[in-house]
Amino acid sequence: MKKWLYTLLVVVLAACSNEIPEQQPAKRSGRTVLAYLVSNSPNSLEINLQNNVVDMYTALAGSKDSCTLLVFYRPQEYQSFLDVPTLLCFDTDGRGNINGSPALSGGNLTFEGVCQTARKKEYTLNSQVATDPDVMEEVFADMQKEAPSDSYGLIFGSHATGWIKGTSFQARAFGDDNGYNIDIPDLADVLKRSFPEKKLDFVLFDACMMGNAEVGYELKDVTSHCIASVMETPALGFPYKQIFSYLYSENIDYSAVCHEFISFNKVNNAWGTCAVMDCSQMENLASAVKAKLSEWQDALSSVSMQNVQQYGVNSYKYFSYDVLDFFRELGGKSGVAETDLNEAIASIQTVLNEAVIAKECIPNPSNSSFRVDEARFCGIGMYIPGEYNRYVANKTTWNSYYEQSISWYRAAGWADLKLN
Protein backbone atom coordinates (compact mmCIF):
# COMPACT_ATOMS: atom_id res chain seq x y z
CA MET A 1 0.00 0.00 0.00
CA LYS A 2 2.78 2.43 0.93
CA LYS A 3 4.67 1.55 -2.25
CA TRP A 4 1.53 2.31 -4.32
CA LEU A 5 1.04 5.66 -2.58
CA TYR A 6 4.71 6.56 -3.14
CA THR A 7 4.39 5.81 -6.85
CA LEU A 8 1.23 7.92 -7.08
CA LEU A 9 2.98 10.82 -5.29
CA VAL A 10 5.90 10.72 -7.76
CA VAL A 11 3.51 10.82 -10.71
CA VAL A 12 1.57 13.76 -9.26
CA LEU A 13 4.72 15.75 -8.52
CA ALA A 14 6.03 15.15 -12.03
CA ALA A 15 2.74 16.33 -13.50
CA CYS A 16 2.88 19.52 -11.45
CA SER A 17 6.42 20.49 -12.50
CA ASN A 18 6.76 23.50 -14.78
CA GLU A 19 10.13 22.39 -16.15
CA ILE A 20 10.23 20.98 -19.69
CA PRO A 21 9.98 17.18 -19.34
CA GLU A 22 12.59 14.96 -20.95
CA GLN A 23 10.18 12.55 -22.64
CA GLN A 24 9.23 13.14 -26.26
CA PRO A 25 5.78 14.76 -26.55
CA ALA A 26 3.18 13.65 -29.04
CA LYS A 27 3.22 15.33 -32.43
CA ARG A 28 0.73 18.17 -32.74
CA SER A 29 -1.54 18.60 -35.70
CA GLY A 30 -1.89 21.98 -37.34
CA ARG A 31 0.52 24.86 -36.73
CA THR A 32 2.61 25.76 -33.69
CA VAL A 33 3.68 29.38 -33.28
CA LEU A 34 7.23 30.15 -32.18
CA ALA A 35 8.65 33.50 -31.07
CA TYR A 36 12.28 34.57 -30.79
CA LEU A 37 12.50 37.81 -28.82
CA VAL A 38 15.74 39.67 -28.08
CA SER A 39 15.69 42.77 -25.88
CA ASN A 40 19.22 43.06 -24.51
CA SER A 41 20.36 46.30 -26.14
CA PRO A 42 21.20 49.84 -24.98
CA ASN A 43 18.00 51.00 -26.68
CA SER A 44 16.01 48.27 -24.99
CA LEU A 45 12.58 47.05 -26.02
CA GLU A 46 12.24 45.19 -22.73
CA ILE A 47 8.90 46.58 -21.57
CA ASN A 48 7.41 46.38 -25.06
CA LEU A 49 8.50 42.77 -25.60
CA GLN A 50 7.25 41.80 -22.15
CA ASN A 51 3.88 43.31 -23.02
CA ASN A 52 3.95 41.40 -26.31
CA VAL A 53 4.41 38.12 -24.41
CA VAL A 54 1.48 38.97 -22.11
CA ASP A 55 -0.67 39.74 -25.17
CA MET A 56 0.30 36.43 -26.78
CA TYR A 57 -0.66 34.63 -23.57
CA THR A 58 -3.96 36.51 -23.44
CA ALA A 59 -4.75 35.52 -27.01
CA LEU A 60 -4.04 31.88 -26.19
CA ALA A 61 -6.36 32.09 -23.18
CA GLY A 62 -9.18 33.23 -25.44
CA SER A 63 -8.58 30.60 -28.11
CA LYS A 64 -11.40 28.16 -28.82
CA ASP A 65 -8.94 25.55 -30.11
CA SER A 66 -6.06 23.76 -28.49
CA CYS A 67 -2.75 25.25 -29.61
CA THR A 68 0.84 25.75 -28.54
CA LEU A 69 3.12 28.76 -28.22
CA LEU A 70 6.86 28.66 -27.53
CA VAL A 71 8.71 31.89 -26.74
CA PHE A 72 12.47 32.25 -26.50
CA TYR A 73 13.08 35.40 -24.47
CA ARG A 74 16.47 37.03 -24.17
CA PRO A 75 15.97 39.58 -21.36
CA GLN A 76 17.82 42.81 -20.84
CA GLU A 77 20.54 42.01 -18.35
CA TYR A 78 19.61 42.82 -14.74
CA GLN A 79 16.39 44.49 -15.84
CA SER A 80 13.97 41.59 -16.17
CA PHE A 81 12.11 39.10 -14.05
CA LEU A 82 13.99 36.46 -16.02
CA ASP A 83 17.66 36.18 -15.04
CA VAL A 84 18.86 34.34 -18.16
CA PRO A 85 17.64 33.62 -21.69
CA THR A 86 14.69 31.29 -21.31
CA LEU A 87 12.40 29.18 -23.45
CA LEU A 88 8.79 29.60 -22.28
CA CYS A 89 6.26 26.96 -23.33
CA PHE A 90 2.47 27.30 -23.27
CA ASP A 91 -0.32 24.89 -24.25
CA THR A 92 -3.98 25.85 -24.23
CA ASP A 93 -6.84 23.38 -24.32
CA GLY A 94 -9.28 25.78 -25.99
CA ARG A 95 -11.35 26.00 -22.81
CA GLY A 96 -9.51 28.79 -21.01
CA ASN A 97 -6.78 26.66 -19.46
CA ILE A 98 -3.05 27.10 -20.13
CA ASN A 99 -0.60 24.42 -19.08
CA GLY A 100 -3.37 22.67 -17.25
CA SER A 101 -4.47 25.60 -15.07
CA PRO A 102 -7.02 28.40 -15.53
CA ALA A 103 -5.46 31.23 -17.49
CA LEU A 104 -4.29 34.26 -15.55
CA SER A 105 -6.48 37.33 -15.56
CA GLY A 106 -6.88 40.71 -13.88
CA GLY A 107 -4.01 41.79 -11.64
CA ASN A 108 -2.34 38.40 -11.95
CA LEU A 109 -1.89 38.82 -15.69
CA THR A 110 1.65 40.21 -15.65
CA PHE A 111 4.86 39.22 -17.39
CA GLU A 112 6.15 37.77 -14.14
CA GLY A 113 2.96 35.78 -13.66
CA VAL A 114 3.03 34.51 -17.23
CA CYS A 115 6.64 33.37 -16.83
CA GLN A 116 5.80 31.55 -13.61
CA THR A 117 3.08 29.52 -15.33
CA ALA A 118 5.30 28.49 -18.26
CA ARG A 119 7.23 25.30 -18.72
CA LYS A 120 10.78 26.55 -19.00
CA LYS A 121 14.27 25.78 -20.19
CA GLU A 122 17.06 28.18 -19.24
CA TYR A 123 20.16 28.84 -21.32
CA THR A 124 23.66 29.78 -20.18
CA LEU A 125 25.19 31.63 -23.11
CA ASN A 126 28.62 32.31 -21.52
CA SER A 127 30.49 34.28 -24.20
CA GLN A 128 27.79 33.68 -26.82
CA VAL A 129 24.80 35.89 -27.62
CA ALA A 130 21.23 35.20 -28.66
CA THR A 131 22.00 36.19 -32.26
CA ASP A 132 24.81 33.63 -32.53
CA PRO A 133 23.84 31.05 -35.21
CA ASP A 134 24.78 28.15 -32.90
CA VAL A 135 22.54 29.48 -30.14
CA MET A 136 19.65 30.05 -32.53
CA GLU A 137 19.95 26.52 -33.93
CA GLU A 138 20.00 25.06 -30.44
CA VAL A 139 16.86 26.97 -29.48
CA PHE A 140 14.99 26.04 -32.66
CA ALA A 141 15.92 22.38 -32.13
CA ASP A 142 14.62 22.56 -28.55
CA MET A 143 11.40 24.18 -29.75
CA GLN A 144 10.74 21.42 -32.25
CA LYS A 145 11.63 18.73 -29.73
CA GLU A 146 9.21 20.23 -27.21
CA ALA A 147 6.43 20.72 -29.75
CA PRO A 148 6.65 18.42 -32.78
CA SER A 149 4.20 19.85 -35.31
CA ASP A 150 3.00 19.59 -38.88
CA SER A 151 4.14 23.17 -39.46
CA TYR A 152 5.33 26.27 -37.66
CA GLY A 153 5.03 30.01 -37.79
CA LEU A 154 7.94 32.06 -36.48
CA ILE A 155 7.91 35.56 -34.96
CA PHE A 156 11.12 37.55 -34.60
CA GLY A 157 11.01 40.49 -32.19
CA SER A 158 13.91 42.89 -31.68
CA HIS A 159 15.67 45.78 -33.38
CA ALA A 160 16.56 45.40 -37.06
CA THR A 161 17.78 47.27 -40.12
CA GLY A 162 16.75 45.05 -43.01
CA TRP A 163 19.44 43.60 -45.25
CA ILE A 164 22.11 46.08 -44.08
CA LYS A 165 25.17 44.47 -42.52
CA GLY A 166 25.37 45.24 -38.84
CA THR A 167 28.85 44.40 -37.62
CA SER A 168 31.04 47.10 -39.14
CA PHE A 169 28.98 50.18 -38.27
CA GLN A 170 25.93 51.18 -36.27
CA ALA A 171 23.29 49.01 -37.84
CA ARG A 172 21.63 45.83 -36.71
CA ALA A 173 20.52 43.58 -39.60
CA PHE A 174 18.30 41.50 -37.27
CA GLY A 175 18.48 41.45 -33.49
CA ASP A 176 20.49 43.37 -30.96
CA ASP A 177 22.03 41.45 -28.08
CA ASN A 178 24.31 44.05 -26.51
CA GLY A 179 25.41 45.22 -29.97
CA TYR A 180 25.63 41.79 -31.61
CA ASN A 181 23.30 40.82 -34.44
CA ILE A 182 22.86 38.35 -37.26
CA ASP A 183 22.94 39.32 -40.93
CA ILE A 184 20.06 38.23 -43.13
CA PRO A 185 21.97 35.69 -45.30
CA ASP A 186 23.24 34.07 -42.09
CA LEU A 187 19.74 34.09 -40.60
CA ALA A 188 18.40 32.39 -43.73
CA ASP A 189 21.09 29.72 -43.41
CA VAL A 190 20.18 29.14 -39.75
CA LEU A 191 16.54 28.64 -40.69
CA LYS A 192 17.43 26.31 -43.57
CA ARG A 193 19.42 24.11 -41.21
CA SER A 194 16.86 24.34 -38.42
CA PHE A 195 13.78 23.66 -40.57
CA PRO A 196 15.16 21.52 -43.43
CA GLU A 197 11.70 20.33 -44.47
CA LYS A 198 10.59 23.94 -45.03
CA LYS A 199 7.96 23.67 -42.32
CA LEU A 200 7.75 27.42 -41.72
CA ASP A 201 4.43 28.74 -43.00
CA PHE A 202 5.45 32.28 -42.18
CA VAL A 203 8.17 34.42 -40.67
CA LEU A 204 6.83 37.57 -39.03
CA PHE A 205 9.35 40.33 -38.34
CA ASP A 206 8.24 42.49 -35.44
CA ALA A 207 11.26 44.61 -36.21
CA CYS A 208 12.17 47.59 -38.36
CA MET A 209 12.84 47.72 -42.08
CA MET A 210 12.49 44.02 -42.97
CA GLY A 211 9.84 44.39 -45.70
CA ASN A 212 12.27 44.48 -48.58
CA ALA A 213 12.74 42.40 -51.70
CA GLU A 214 16.26 41.60 -50.50
CA VAL A 215 14.95 40.00 -47.29
CA GLY A 216 12.10 38.15 -49.01
CA TYR A 217 14.49 36.76 -51.60
CA GLU A 218 16.94 35.48 -48.96
CA LEU A 219 14.05 33.66 -47.26
CA LYS A 220 12.54 32.12 -50.40
CA ASP A 221 13.94 28.66 -49.58
CA VAL A 222 13.06 28.94 -45.91
CA THR A 223 9.43 30.01 -45.50
CA SER A 224 6.24 30.33 -47.48
CA HIS A 225 5.45 33.88 -46.39
CA CYS A 226 7.20 36.87 -44.85
CA ILE A 227 5.22 39.45 -42.86
CA ALA A 228 7.09 42.71 -42.32
CA SER A 229 7.22 46.49 -42.59
CA VAL A 230 9.45 48.28 -45.06
CA MET A 231 9.64 51.18 -42.60
CA GLU A 232 10.60 51.52 -38.98
CA THR A 233 8.17 49.64 -36.73
CA PRO A 234 6.67 51.37 -33.66
CA ALA A 235 8.03 49.97 -30.40
CA LEU A 236 4.56 48.73 -29.40
CA GLY A 237 4.98 45.97 -31.96
CA PHE A 238 2.23 43.89 -33.51
CA PRO A 239 -1.19 43.61 -31.81
CA TYR A 240 -0.94 39.96 -30.83
CA LYS A 241 -4.28 39.86 -29.04
CA GLN A 242 -5.92 40.74 -32.36
CA ILE A 243 -3.80 38.72 -34.83
CA PHE A 244 -3.04 35.48 -33.00
CA SER A 245 -6.24 33.74 -34.08
CA TYR A 246 -5.27 34.40 -37.71
CA LEU A 247 -1.75 33.03 -37.21
CA TYR A 248 -3.12 29.70 -36.00
CA SER A 249 -5.82 29.32 -38.67
CA GLU A 250 -5.33 26.75 -41.41
CA ASN A 251 -5.56 29.36 -44.16
CA ILE A 252 -4.17 32.61 -42.79
CA ASP A 253 -6.01 35.78 -43.77
CA TYR A 254 -2.91 37.87 -44.39
CA SER A 255 -4.91 40.92 -45.40
CA ALA A 256 -6.58 40.83 -41.98
CA VAL A 257 -3.18 40.62 -40.27
CA CYS A 258 -2.00 43.73 -42.12
CA HIS A 259 -5.26 45.53 -41.38
CA GLU A 260 -5.11 44.77 -37.65
CA PHE A 261 -1.53 46.04 -37.48
CA ILE A 262 -2.38 49.30 -39.24
CA SER A 263 -5.61 49.78 -37.25
CA PHE A 264 -3.70 49.25 -34.00
CA ASN A 265 -1.11 51.85 -34.99
CA LYS A 266 -3.81 54.34 -35.93
CA VAL A 267 -5.50 53.93 -32.56
CA ASN A 268 -2.15 54.48 -30.84
CA ASN A 269 -1.37 57.57 -32.91
CA ALA A 270 1.58 55.83 -34.55
CA TRP A 271 2.74 55.24 -38.11
CA GLY A 272 3.28 52.10 -40.12
CA THR A 273 3.30 49.92 -43.19
CA CYS A 274 2.69 46.19 -43.36
CA ALA A 275 2.99 43.76 -46.23
CA VAL A 276 3.11 40.02 -46.80
CA MET A 277 5.45 38.52 -49.37
CA ASP A 278 4.73 35.15 -50.94
CA CYS A 279 8.32 33.97 -50.90
CA SER A 280 7.65 31.33 -53.55
CA GLN A 281 7.17 34.21 -55.99
CA MET A 282 10.38 36.08 -55.20
CA GLU A 283 12.36 34.36 -57.95
CA ASN A 284 9.75 35.45 -60.47
CA LEU A 285 9.89 39.00 -59.14
CA ALA A 286 13.68 39.05 -59.42
CA SER A 287 13.44 37.83 -63.02
CA ALA A 288 10.90 40.53 -63.91
CA VAL A 289 13.05 43.23 -62.32
CA LYS A 290 16.12 41.93 -64.13
CA ALA A 291 14.37 41.96 -67.51
CA LYS A 292 13.10 45.51 -67.08
CA LEU A 293 16.44 46.82 -65.80
CA SER A 294 18.12 45.33 -68.85
CA GLU A 295 15.52 46.82 -71.19
CA TRP A 296 15.72 50.30 -69.69
CA GLN A 297 19.33 50.41 -68.46
CA ASP A 298 20.22 53.34 -70.72
CA ALA A 299 17.77 55.49 -68.74
CA LEU A 300 19.17 54.63 -65.30
CA SER A 301 21.53 57.61 -65.23
CA SER A 302 18.59 59.95 -65.86
CA VAL A 303 16.37 58.75 -63.01
CA SER A 304 15.51 61.44 -60.47
CA MET A 305 15.66 59.43 -57.26
CA GLN A 306 14.07 62.25 -55.27
CA ASN A 307 10.91 61.52 -57.23
CA VAL A 308 10.77 57.90 -56.08
CA GLN A 309 9.01 56.89 -52.85
CA GLN A 310 11.72 55.89 -50.35
CA TYR A 311 11.23 54.42 -46.89
CA GLY A 312 14.29 55.17 -44.78
CA VAL A 313 14.64 57.85 -42.12
CA ASN A 314 17.59 59.51 -40.41
CA SER A 315 20.82 57.56 -41.00
CA TYR A 316 18.93 54.89 -42.95
CA LYS A 317 17.45 57.27 -45.47
CA TYR A 318 17.55 55.93 -49.04
CA PHE A 319 18.18 52.33 -47.97
CA SER A 320 14.96 51.23 -49.70
CA TYR A 321 12.81 52.54 -52.55
CA ASP A 322 9.36 51.42 -53.59
CA VAL A 323 9.83 48.75 -56.26
CA LEU A 324 6.97 49.75 -58.53
CA ASP A 325 7.43 53.48 -58.09
CA PHE A 326 11.07 53.14 -59.13
CA PHE A 327 10.04 51.55 -62.41
CA ARG A 328 7.44 54.24 -62.99
CA GLU A 329 10.22 56.81 -62.78
CA LEU A 330 12.63 54.69 -64.82
CA GLY A 331 10.01 54.08 -67.51
CA GLY A 332 9.30 57.79 -67.74
CA LYS A 333 12.98 58.47 -68.39
CA SER A 334 13.20 55.71 -71.00
CA GLY A 335 11.01 57.58 -73.47
CA VAL A 336 7.77 55.72 -72.75
CA ALA A 337 4.81 58.06 -73.11
CA GLU A 338 2.99 58.73 -69.85
CA THR A 339 -0.22 57.30 -71.31
CA ASP A 340 1.60 54.03 -72.05
CA LEU A 341 3.60 53.80 -68.83
CA ASN A 342 1.25 51.49 -66.95
CA GLU A 343 1.27 49.05 -69.83
CA ALA A 344 5.06 49.30 -70.06
CA ILE A 345 5.55 48.28 -66.43
CA ALA A 346 2.77 45.68 -66.50
CA SER A 347 5.28 42.84 -66.23
CA ILE A 348 6.52 44.21 -62.89
CA GLN A 349 3.00 45.01 -61.68
CA THR A 350 1.71 41.54 -62.52
CA VAL A 351 4.49 39.73 -60.68
CA LEU A 352 4.28 42.15 -57.74
CA ASN A 353 0.59 41.33 -57.40
CA GLU A 354 1.58 37.68 -56.97
CA ALA A 355 4.60 38.33 -54.74
CA VAL A 356 2.94 40.87 -52.41
CA ILE A 357 -0.33 39.26 -51.44
CA ALA A 358 -1.38 41.78 -48.78
CA LYS A 359 -0.41 45.33 -47.91
CA GLU A 360 -1.65 48.37 -46.00
CA CYS A 361 -0.18 51.61 -44.75
CA ILE A 362 -0.89 54.78 -42.81
CA PRO A 363 -0.40 57.47 -45.45
CA ASN A 364 -0.31 60.55 -43.21
CA PRO A 365 0.59 59.69 -39.62
CA SER A 366 -0.03 62.69 -37.39
CA ASN A 367 3.04 62.19 -35.17
CA SER A 368 5.64 61.62 -37.88
CA SER A 369 7.17 63.87 -40.50
CA PHE A 370 7.60 60.86 -42.77
CA ARG A 371 4.79 60.50 -45.28
CA VAL A 372 3.88 57.46 -47.33
CA ASP A 373 2.09 58.17 -50.59
CA GLU A 374 -0.52 55.41 -50.55
CA ALA A 375 -0.97 55.66 -54.33
CA ARG A 376 2.72 54.84 -54.79
CA PHE A 377 2.96 52.16 -52.08
CA CYS A 378 3.44 48.69 -53.60
CA GLY A 379 4.18 47.11 -50.20
CA ILE A 380 7.90 46.41 -50.45
CA GLY A 381 11.07 48.25 -51.32
CA MET A 382 14.52 47.54 -52.73
CA TYR A 383 17.92 49.17 -52.62
CA ILE A 384 19.20 51.15 -55.59
CA PRO A 385 23.01 50.70 -55.59
CA GLY A 386 25.39 53.64 -55.44
CA GLU A 387 26.37 53.39 -59.12
CA TYR A 388 22.85 54.50 -60.00
CA ASN A 389 21.90 56.51 -56.94
CA ARG A 390 23.89 59.57 -55.93
CA TYR A 391 22.25 59.61 -52.49
CA VAL A 392 24.09 56.45 -51.47
CA ALA A 393 27.17 56.74 -53.71
CA ASN A 394 29.28 57.45 -50.61
CA LYS A 395 27.84 54.50 -48.65
CA THR A 396 30.82 52.30 -49.48
CA THR A 397 30.07 49.79 -46.72
CA TRP A 398 26.48 49.42 -47.84
CA ASN A 399 27.38 49.07 -51.51
CA SER A 400 30.26 46.62 -51.12
CA TYR A 401 28.29 44.37 -48.76
CA TYR A 402 25.24 44.53 -51.03
CA GLU A 403 27.28 43.44 -54.05
CA GLN A 404 29.21 40.73 -52.26
CA SER A 405 26.63 39.15 -49.96
CA ILE A 406 23.03 39.94 -50.90
CA SER A 407 21.62 37.41 -53.38
CA TRP A 408 19.07 39.86 -54.78
CA TYR A 409 21.90 41.98 -56.27
CA ARG A 410 22.65 39.33 -58.89
CA ALA A 411 19.21 37.77 -59.13
CA ALA A 412 17.62 41.14 -59.96
CA GLY A 413 20.23 41.90 -62.59
CA TRP A 414 22.20 44.75 -61.02
CA ALA A 415 25.47 42.87 -61.50
CA ASP A 416 24.81 42.50 -65.24
CA LEU A 417 24.31 46.19 -66.00
CA LYS A 418 26.95 48.30 -67.69
CA LEU A 419 27.41 51.89 -66.67
CA ASN A 420 27.14 54.38 -69.51
Side-chain angles (χ1 to χ4, degrees), residues 160-217:
T161 53
W163 60 266
I164 299 173
K165 185 174 178 60
T167 54
S168 58
F169 60 98
Q170 293 301 312
R172 300 187 183 92
F174 170 76
D176 189 346
D177 188 347
N178 199 27
Y180 293 92
N181 53 72
I182 186 167
D183 295 327
I184 299 309
D186 295 330
L187 178 61
D189 287 341
V190 166
L191 295 179
K192 286 178 188 176
R193 293 191 295 268
S194 299
F195 300 91
E197 299 177 13
K198 198 177 179 180
K199 297 175 70 174
L200 287 177
D201 291 334
F202 66 83
V203 172
L204 186 157
F205 286 106
D206 196 343
C208 296
M209 301 162 53
M210 303 301 284
N212 298 286
E214 291 85 357
V215 173
Y217 191 83

Side-chain angles (χ1 to χ4, degrees), residues 224-225 276-282 284-285 347-358:
S224 299
H225 296 88
V276 181
M277 288 178 273
D278 180 343
C279 294
S280 69
Q281 298 297 319
M282 294 308 294
N284 292 338
L285 180 59
S347 59
I348 299 292
Q349 178 73 77
T350 299
V351 180
L352 265 172
N353 290 343
E354 296 172 347
V356 182
I357 61 172

Side-chain angles (χ1 to χ4, degrees), residues 74-301:
R74 196 322 179 203
Q76 186 179 16
E77 291 182 351
Y78 315 118
Q79 298 293 322
S80 174
F81 167 74
L82 297 176
D83 295 324
V84 296
T86 305
L87 179 60
L88 308 169
C89 307
F90 306 96
D91 295 307
T92 179
D93 59 5
R95 297 188 295 274
N97 299 307
I98 295 181
N99 292 347
S101 299
L104 301 176
S105 61
N108 295 321
L109 183 56
T110 63
F111 180 73
E112 180 176 348
V114 167
C115 290
Q116 288 175 337
T117 68
R119 300 192 311 280
K120 293 183 283 290
K121 176 178 179 178
E122 297 181 342
Y123 295 82
T124 303
L125 298 186
N126 295 322
S127 61
Q128 293 175 299
V129 293
T131 51
D132 185 305
D134 291 338
V135 172
M136 299 185 86
E137 287 186 50
E138 179 185 356
V139 172
F140 291 139
D142 288 341
M143 286 176 162
Q144 292 174 82
K145 180 180 178 182
E146 169 64 15
S149 185
D150 291 337
S151 66
Y152 299 91
L154 176 57
I155 298 167
F156 282 114
S158 188
H159 292 292
T161 53
W163 60 266
I164 299 173
K165 185 174 178 60
T167 54
S168 58
F169 60 98
Q170 293 301 312
R172 300 187 183 92
F174 170 76
D176 189 346
D177 188 347
N178 199 27
Y180 293 92
N181 53 72
I182 186 167
D183 295 327
I184 299 309
D186 295 330
L187 178 61
D189 287 341
V190 166
L191 295 179
K192 286 178 188 176
R193 293 191 295 268
S194 299
F195 300 91
E197 299 177 13
K198 198 177 179 180
K199 297 175 70 174
L200 287 177
D201 291 334
F202 66 83
V203 172
L204 186 157
F205 286 106
D206 196 343
C208 296
M209 301 162 53
M210 303 301 284
N212 298 286
E214 291 85 357
V215 173
Y217 191 83
E218 294 289 345
L219 298 181
K220 65 183 176 60
D221 298 322
V222 171
T223 182
S224 299
H225 296 88
C226 176
I227 308 169
S229 170
V230 70
M231 289 175 57
E232 290 186 318
T233 302
L236 291 172
F238 275 71
Y240 294 103
K241 285 190 287 188
Q242 288 90 330
I243 70 170
F244 244 45
S245 60
Y246 297 114
L247 300 184
Y248 281 100
S249 62
E250 182 177 357
N251 297 306
I252 299 175
D253 186 342
Y254 286 110
S255 293
V257 173
C258 289
H259 181 70
E260 293 289 356
F261 176 73
I262 294 302
S263 297
F264 178 75
N265 286 347
K266 287 179 179 178
V267 168
N268 286 281
N269 195 32
W271 63 91
T273 69
C274 188
V276 181
M277 288 178 273
D278 180 343
C279 294
S280 69
Q281 298 297 319
M282 294 308 294
E283 195 73 74
N284 292 338
L285 180 59
S287 296
V289 168
K290 182 176 183 178
K292 197 57 69 177
L293 284 176
S294 177
E295 179 183 349
W296 288 343
Q297 63 178 307
D298 291 342
L300 279 167
S301 60

Side-chain angles (χ1 to χ4, degrees), residues 285-319:
L285 180 59
S287 296
V289 168
K290 182 176 183 178
K292 197 57 69 177
L293 284 176
S294 177
E295 179 183 349
W296 288 343
Q297 63 178 307
D298 291 342
L300 279 167
S301 60
S302 302
V303 170
S304 300
M305 294 306 300
Q306 70 268 26
N307 294 333
V308 182
Q309 172 74 71
Q310 73 89 27
Y311 297 107
V313 297
N314 301 324
S315 59
Y316 303 115
K317 199 170 183 179
Y318 310 122
F319 95 103

